[in-house]
Amino acid sequence: MTRAIATGLSGYGLEVPDVKQAEDFYVAFGLDANYENDTLLLGSPGLNRPEVICVKGQVKKLHHVSFFTPAETLDEFESKLKSTGLDVQREAPEGWHRPGLWFKDPWGTLINLTPGEPTKPIGDEPYGTNSCQHINRVDEALFLVMNRDRKPRRIGHMLIFTQDFEKAEQWFVDVLGLQVTDRAKGKVSFMGCVDGVSDHHCFGIINGTHRGFQHSSFEVDSIDDIGFNTWRARQAGYGDGFGPGRHALASNLFHYVKDPWGSWAEYYADMDKITEKWECHDHEQLPYVWGPGWSPEFWGGDMNANLEPAE
């Protein structure tokens, strides 16, 4: 029997003061853009569904987080949510184009549970790589044949700030069925929708002064795709970034591009895959093993400033 739990990240919604500015940034980042009336719908090429939705607001702020759940669990999920005292709606707020259930978490963030399954994109055939021990490419000039226009494959994860770190973590576990996969102790909790073999995390919370959007992350195939996507964003005027590097927690390669409002969009590749056997640990070390210098460290500097208004 299918359980009433979140099975993957579907996307998120932002209110932004300039929707055209949002379109310019996310298109340069590599997403496709469409409009329904005044609502901007953005998604990885080929998915034909919105991962990021933007509408006009007075200031930039997170509007909602959306998770997948199987369609057959919606009724059960609705009963489960109402039993915890939540006000659950079946109609999306005006201007927001996601079906399913809508409700607020205890800290005021809208959550959407949309019927569907997480995207499992099909990547291109990997290039042959040469190393000291393994030669897989001979008599071929790789730089001449590389696809320099690979776009993001799908949204993989996002992180938000919370002012009630431990209680928020437990709420996402108890109510949505997420699994805590690793922590940077007292700073960030990574969570996964673990079903079979899954990404190390699809969601996370950061200990902060108030709720807000920190970053979203889109999967690409390789370090070269991180490089080419970063190059394209830089040529479009979005050169303020952080990376490349390799994280410690989740082990993925990364590069972050600063968006027009001071938060971040990340390209990632080669993330740890886990199953139900994975054991969560509290980690003390910095969450990267190589990359550019940051100060004072990843969870404390400007990279993690919560620039959204406190409510």
Side-chain angles (χ1 to χ4, degrees):
M1 180 178 178
T2 303
R3 294 184 297 155
I5 60 174
T7 55
L9 179 67
S10 173
Y12 58 95
L14 297 176
E15 296 181 45
V16 295
D18 187 334
V19 175
K20 183 62 169 61
Q21 186 181 43
E23 178 187 1
D24 291 345
F25 171 76
Y26 279 110
V27 168
F29 185 79
L31 304 187
D32 286 345
N34 294 287
Y35 280 89
E36 288 192 19
N37 298 320
D38 295 326
T39 300
L40 174 62
L41 308 176
L42 298 144
S44 300
L47 291 190
N48 299 315
R49 64 171 182 82
E51 295 172 305
V52 184
I53 299 177
C54 296
V55 304
K56 185 174 177 55
Q58 290 188 340
V59 295
K60 174 262 181 178
K61 65 178 181 179
L62 178 69
H63 180 268
H64 71 267
V65 180
S66 179
F67 294 94
F68 286 115
T69 192
E72 60 269 25
T73 69
L74 283 179
D75 291 340
E76 181 184 352
F77 228 140
E78 183 174 13
S79 297
K80 174 183 175 182
L81 295 167
K82 288 182 175 178
S83 73
T84 68
L86 294 171
D87 179 20
V88 184
Q89 304 295 323
R90 290 268 183 163
E91 293 293 328
E94 185 177 356
W96 300 93
H97 299 266
R98 296 194 196 274
L101 307 178
W102 289 83
F103 55 95
K104 286 186 178 180
D105 70 16
W107 302 273
T109 301
L110 266 174
I111 306 292
N112 166 246
L113 294 173
T114 195
E117 295 294 334
T119 302
K120 295 182 179 179
I122 299 174
D124 292 335
E125 187 71 22
Y127 301 120
T129 57
N130 292 333
S131 67
C132 297
Q133 297 294 323
H134 301 282
I135 297 174
N136 299 299
R137 192 179 70 253
V138 177
D139 293 334
E140 180 180 27
L142 178 60
F143 80 98
L144 294 176
V145 299
M146 298 181 84
N147 181 350
R148 300 170 186 238
D149 196 34
R150 289 180 178 173
K151 302 293 179 64
R153 300 297 189 180
R154 57 158 185 152
I155 190 169
H157 58 272
M158 66 178 293
L159 270 67
I160 66 172
F161 294 98
T162 178
Q163 68 272 38
D164 206 352
F165 185 67
E166 293 182 359
K167 289 183 179 179
E169 179 189 86
Q170 196 61 51
W171 186 88
F172 280 103
V173 171
D174 293 342
V175 176
L176 296 190
L178 302 186
Q179 176 178 325
V180 181
T181 55
D182 272 313
R183 299 184 190 92
K185 191 174 181 180
K187 297 179 180 180
V188 60
S189 175
F190 292 108
M191 304 180 191
C193 298
V194 183
D195 181 19
V197 178
S198 306
D199 269 3
H200 174 272
H201 59 275
C202 67
F203 185 68
I205 55 173
I206 296 174
N207 202 354
T209 58
H210 59 286
R211 66 189 179 94
F213 174 78
Q214 196 267 338
H215 87 270
S216 59
S217 187
F218 291 77
E219 186 176 24
V220 296
D221 281 337
S222 69
I223 187 65
D224 291 298
D225 293 342
I226 289 176
F228 286 133
N229 277 281
T230 299
W231 189 295
R232 182 185 60 248
R234 186 171 67 242
Q235 287 183 315
Y238 303 101
D240 193 354
F242 188 83
R246 186 179 285 275
H247 282 305
L249 282 69
S251 305
N252 50 291
L253 297 160
F254 68 83
H255 185 93
Y256 296 83
V257 181
K258 184 176 282 188
D259 69 24
W261 319 284
S263 48
W264 301 82
E266 177 193 21
Y267 304 110
Y268 81 97
D270 193 23
M271 176 178 280
D272 290 337
K273 299 290 186 179
I274 66 173
T275 68
E276 290 84 354
K277 297 179 181 179
W278 181 265
E279 295 183 3
C280 174
H281 294 91
D282 287 336
H283 298 268
E284 298 283 355
Q285 71 266 34
L286 294 179
Y288 72 113
V289 292
W290 64 265
W294 42 37
S295 178
E297 50 91 15
F298 190 67
W299 303 117
D302 288 341
M303 185 170 185
N304 288 271
N306 185 355
L307 302 178
E308 296 192 20
E311 295 180 351

